[in-house]
Amino acid sequence: MQVRSSRPADFALKTERLGPLPLVNHFLERMGLAALLEKHVPTGDKRCRVPHAQALGVLVRSIVVEREPIYRAQETVVGFASGLFGVAEEDIDSLGDDRLGRALDRLFEADRAALLTEVVLAVAKRFVVQLKRLHNDSTSISFCGQYRDGRVGKSGRRAPAITYGYSKDHRPDLKQLLFILTTDADGGVPVQFRTADGNTNDSITHIETWSTLRAVAGRADFLYVADSKLCSHDNLSFIDRAGGRFVTVLPRSRREDKHFRKLL
């Protein structure tokens, strides 16, 4: 006996790709990132269908989800369910690499330090990050190709110079940037990061980094943890005079350093 299906004749199965974007969007909303981007990178031209803040939001999601190049951003957005990248379906055609490039140009000209500070403060408040023990380290990032010494924007702001320096990747033949990152011991949450010229000595970066962290934390008594590059008279005396605390490791001799590494 054949049972006739009551399913309508025009029934169709529609599949949509979500990936981790519902979770990503949840945390971006709790951070209030869209409003902060709109505040610091406003769009002056009302003819622009995709504002700078919205375009930067697409890039943030793309980095978390796909890590695709800018020229493939439109293809990446289309591959997911409508609206998950923060852009309406009718505006996706305007999401070309030129639109994203202009948004990045405006971000470069903006006060990125103030933007980052507000983002970190929002995260600390809404996710109860203690900011009691902060760990700092730096590394070199190598590049291939030809680069100018440093780009200067319309506002006179200079980009870090991609140039030769001490390579921690043991590639002295490649130009590089110095990437400086500080995280909170409470979950490893990034608190402060910046790039410096590729030939910058790590030891001279700590005073600026510590001063920024003091402004973000709103106090000086947090514990600042860093490697032996922190151990200079200027660095330690500056932090001490400001009422700060620090922990670092400095072997007494190369022999002690060799013995310590062997134990590890």
Side-chain angles (χ1 to χ4, degrees), residues 90-154:
E90 60 269 18
D91 294 332
I92 293 179
D93 291 339
S94 302
L95 202 63
D97 53 358
D98 180 72
R99 172 85 288 275
L100 297 176
R102 291 177 183 273
L104 288 172
D105 284 339
R106 298 302 183 275
L107 177 63
F108 176 77
E109 299 290 349
D111 188 350
R112 299 187 303 278
L115 169 60
L116 179 59
T117 298
E118 289 198 38
V119 170
V120 173
L121 289 176
V123 170
K125 179 180 180 181
R126 294 165 188 173
F127 294 89
V128 197
V129 180
Q130 299 297 319
L131 300 178
K132 291 182 178 180
R133 190 167 80 244
L134 305 177
H135 296 252
N136 172 270
D137 197 11
S138 59
T139 188
S140 55
I141 303 175
S142 300
F143 291 81
C144 297
Q146 298 180 352
Y147 295 89
R148 292 180 295 175
D149 290 339
R151 173 190 170 189
V152 179
K154 296 179 181 179

Side-chain angles (χ1 to χ4, degrees), residues 251-263:
R252 290 179 293 182
S253 64
R254 291 184 182 275
R255 181 178 179 182
E256 181 178 287
D257 176 70
K258 183 179 180 180
H259 179 66
F260 180 66
R261 291 176 184 271
K262 185 178 180 180
L263 288 176

Side-chain angles (χ1 to χ4, degrees), residues 35 52 104 166 189 194 198 257:
H52 300 320
L104 288 172
Y166 175 74
V189 178
R194 59 190 174 93
D257 176 70

Side-chain angles (χ1 to χ4, degrees), residues 3-145:
V3 179
R4 181 173 296 178
S5 174
S6 60
R7 185 177 299 170
D10 60 347
F11 175 81
L13 178 64
K14 181 180 179 181
T15 61
E16 291 184 327
R17 184 183 179 192
L18 302 179
L21 281 173
L23 289 175
V24 172
N25 290 336
H26 168 75
F27 285 104
L28 291 180
E29 184 177 352
R30 285 189 63 184
M31 291 167 57
L33 183 62
L36 292 175
L37 287 173
E38 187 64 43
K39 173 183 175 181
H40 290 274
V41 195
T43 304
D45 191 349
K46 295 182 179 180
R47 297 172 299 176
C48 184
R49 293 180 60 183
V50 180
H52 300 320
Q54 202 171 5
L56 293 173
V58 170
L59 287 175
V60 170
R61 292 172 174 87
S62 178
I63 291 172
V64 174
V65 176
E66 292 288 341
R67 289 185 175 270
E68 293 287 355
I70 291 178
Y71 65 83
R72 292 192 60 184
Q74 191 175 46
E75 180 182 341
T76 301
V77 173
V78 171
F80 284 83
S82 176
L84 283 183
F85 270 83
V87 179
E89 188 172 358
E90 60 269 18
D91 294 332
I92 293 179
D93 291 339
S94 302
L95 202 63
D97 53 358
D98 180 72
R99 172 85 288 275
L100 297 176
R102 291 177 183 273
L104 288 172
D105 284 339
R106 298 302 183 275
L107 177 63
F108 176 77
E109 299 290 349
D111 188 350
R112 299 187 303 278
L115 169 60
L116 179 59
T117 298
E118 289 198 38
V119 170
V120 173
L121 289 176
V123 170
K125 179 180 180 181
R126 294 165 188 173
F127 294 89
V128 197
V129 180
Q130 299 297 319
L131 300 178
K132 291 182 178 180
R133 190 167 80 244
L134 305 177
H135 296 252
N136 172 270
D137 197 11
S138 59
T139 188
S140 55
I141 303 175
S142 300
F143 291 81
C144 297

Side-chain angles (χ1 to χ4, degrees), residues 5 13 30 51 54-56 66 112 134 155 158 161 177 181 201 205-206 223 234 238 242-244 248 261:
S5 174
L13 178 64
R30 285 189 63 184
Q54 202 171 5
L56 293 173
E66 292 288 341
R112 299 187 303 278
L134 305 177
S155 63
R158 187 183 72 86
L177 284 174
L181 174 66
N201 190 324
T205 65
H206 288 287
L223 185 62
D234 291 340
F238 177 86
T248 186
R261 291 176 184 271

